[in-house]
Amino acid sequence: MAARTAFRTSNPAFSSKSFGGFVAVDPNAPNAPNAPSASTRTGARAMTIQGTVDKTAILLAITIFAAIWPWRTLFETRDPGTVVPFMLVGALGGFIVAMVTIFKKSWAPVTAPIYAACEGLALGSISAMFEVRYHGIAFQAMALTFGVLAVMLIAYKTRLIKATEGFKLGVIAATGAIALVYLLSMVLGMFGVHMGFMSSSGPLGIGISLVVVFVAALNLVLDFDVVEQGARMGAPKFMEWYGAFGILVTLVWLYLEMLRLLAKLNDRR
């Protein structure tokens, strides 16, 4: 039971079932039914942290490369309408591929790069639209996102932030609350009721964005913890791609929230 609760995370890509039977038993027990084989324990076929880092870098590169296409299209045509198809295809395609990846983890070596490409199209379109209105905002958001990633990784590796059970429950609860507020805002918007404070550039709106960015950053700690435990428990090699996919899901959210926050700050000038 303790092994299962150790895998708590608010990232939909990660759950107590993400690493299958590898979380239910002690892999060091030689007679455990799901214990990794000797070849797996030597790293021949097992997931590793370094392998996950490498795959994450590959997915980030794919995302950035794909984002260049709609970005260049908008600044060449100066017509926001030209990137709407990229945004819709990227967002819808990314959602579908993400769902496939979550339910078919063994497909992650193929679906994770596709997801990264779809998100690149969507993020490139959204970033270009923000850039037209707020010059330099896309670079600032990207720099801040990578900066937060580096800071949270260092904080996790040095144990400055520990992924205790209380910490995990707190982050999950906060993330769930944010998801519910966003869902409520979207549903009410369909009926013409708008929660103006969510997009306001006033102190309340900026404060909300800061809280959301902070919670998104803390989710990275949970992602790191899940990947580390998966590698320790001897998860199969394809889980490196799945782990990288899960981290990318959080980074996409963090980047979008950075854009929203910076836009609000620019509106106050």
Side-chain angles (χ1 to χ4, degrees), residues 191-248:
F191 296 95
V193 179
H194 300 286
M195 301 170 65
F197 65 90
M198 293 291 294
S199 57
S200 168
S201 58
L204 179 58
I206 291 175
I208 291 173
S209 285
L210 285 171
V211 170
V212 175
V213 166
F214 182 67
V215 172
L218 292 181
N219 269 270
L220 287 171
V221 174
L222 302 191
D223 295 345
F224 299 153
D225 183 62
V226 171
V227 168
E228 184 178 52
Q229 292 190 53
R232 187 186 304 127
M233 300 297 281
K237 194 70 173 175
F238 67 78
M239 291 301 287
E240 291 179 350
W241 283 105
Y242 189 78
F245 158 74
I247 292 173
L248 182 61

Side-chain angles (χ1 to χ4, degrees), residues 25 27 29 34-35 41 95 108 120-121 134 146 163-164 182 215 254:
V25 297
N34 292 321
R41 282 195 293 268
F95 176 77
L121 292 177
Y134 310 102
F146 282 119
T164 63
Y182 277 0
V215 172
L254 178 60

Side-chain angles (χ1 to χ4, degrees), residues 60-73 83 86 116-128 142 255:
L60 286 172
I62 293 173
T63 303
I64 294 172
F65 183 78
I68 294 174
W69 190 6
W71 177 279
R72 291 185 59 182
T73 299
V83 298
F86 291 110
C118 289
E119 289 302 314
L121 292 177
L123 294 181
S125 303
I126 295 170
S127 299
M142 184 169 64
Y255 174 76

Side-chain angles (χ1 to χ4, degrees), residues 6-23:
F7 276 79
R8 284 199 183 102
T9 173
S10 52
N11 189 329
F14 292 141
S15 70
S16 61
K17 298 179 181 179
S18 293
F19 293 87
F22 293 90
V23 302

Side-chain angles (χ1 to χ4, degrees), residues 35-36 52 58 87 119 139 145 203:
T52 306
I58 292 172
M87 182 173 63
E119 289 302 314
F139 176 77
T145 299

Side-chain angles (χ1 to χ4, degrees), residues 1-260:
M1 182 65 179
R4 288 186 182 276
T5 56
F7 276 79
R8 284 199 183 102
T9 173
S10 52
N11 189 329
F14 292 141
S15 70
S16 61
K17 298 179 181 179
S18 293
F19 293 87
F22 293 90
V23 302
V25 297
D26 180 1
N28 295 318
N31 298 321
N34 292 321
S37 63
S39 63
T40 297
R41 282 195 293 268
T42 61
R45 299 177 187 174
M47 172 186 185
T48 65
I49 294 176
Q50 185 57 53
T52 306
V53 170
D54 295 341
K55 269 66 171 185
T56 302
I58 292 172
L59 295 186
L60 286 172
I62 293 173
T63 303
I64 294 172
F65 183 78
I68 294 174
W69 190 6
W71 177 279
R72 291 185 59 182
T73 299
L74 178 57
F75 285 98
E76 286 175 358
T77 62
R78 294 292 172 176
D79 178 12
T82 59
V83 298
V84 171
F86 291 110
M87 182 173 63
L88 295 177
V89 170
L92 181 59
F95 176 77
I96 294 173
V97 175
M99 291 298 100
V100 171
T101 307
I102 290 172
F103 288 104
K104 294 292 292 186
K105 298 174 182 60
S106 60
W107 293 5
V110 174
T111 58
I114 296 175
Y115 170 79
C118 289
E119 289 302 314
L121 292 177
L123 294 181
S125 303
I126 295 170
S127 299
M129 291 180 178
F130 271 89
E131 186 71 18
V132 168
R133 183 171 180 180
Y134 310 102
H135 179 65
I137 191 174
F139 176 77
Q140 294 168 7
M142 184 169 64
L144 286 171
T145 299
F146 282 119
V148 169
L149 173 63
V151 169
M152 299 311 292
L153 181 57
I154 292 172
Y156 178 75
K157 294 297 291 182
T158 59
R159 299 306 184 217
L160 185 62
I161 298 179
K162 296 180 180 179
T164 63
E165 285 303 298
F167 175 87
K168 294 174 186 177
L169 287 172
V171 174
I172 292 170
T175 305
I178 291 170
L180 286 175
V181 171
Y182 277 0
L183 179 61
L184 178 62
S185 176
M186 184 170 59
V187 172
L188 290 177
M190 294 175 160
F191 296 95
V193 179
H194 300 286
M195 301 170 65
F197 65 90
M198 293 291 294
S199 57
S200 168
S201 58
L204 179 58
I206 291 175
I208 291 173
S209 285
L210 285 171
V211 170
V212 175
V213 166
F214 182 67
V215 172
L218 292 181
N219 269 270
L220 287 171
V221 174
L222 302 191
D223 295 345
F224 299 153
D225 183 62
V226 171
V227 168
E228 184 178 52
Q229 292 190 53
R232 187 186 304 127
M233 300 297 281
K237 194 70 173 175
F238 67 78
M239 291 301 287
E240 291 179 350
W241 283 105
Y242 189 78
F245 158 74
I247 292 173
L248 182 61
V249 169
T250 300
L251 287 176
V252 167
W253 176 33
L254 178 60
Y255 174 76
L256 289 173
E257 294 300 337
M258 284 291 187
L259 276 178
R260 286 166 56 88

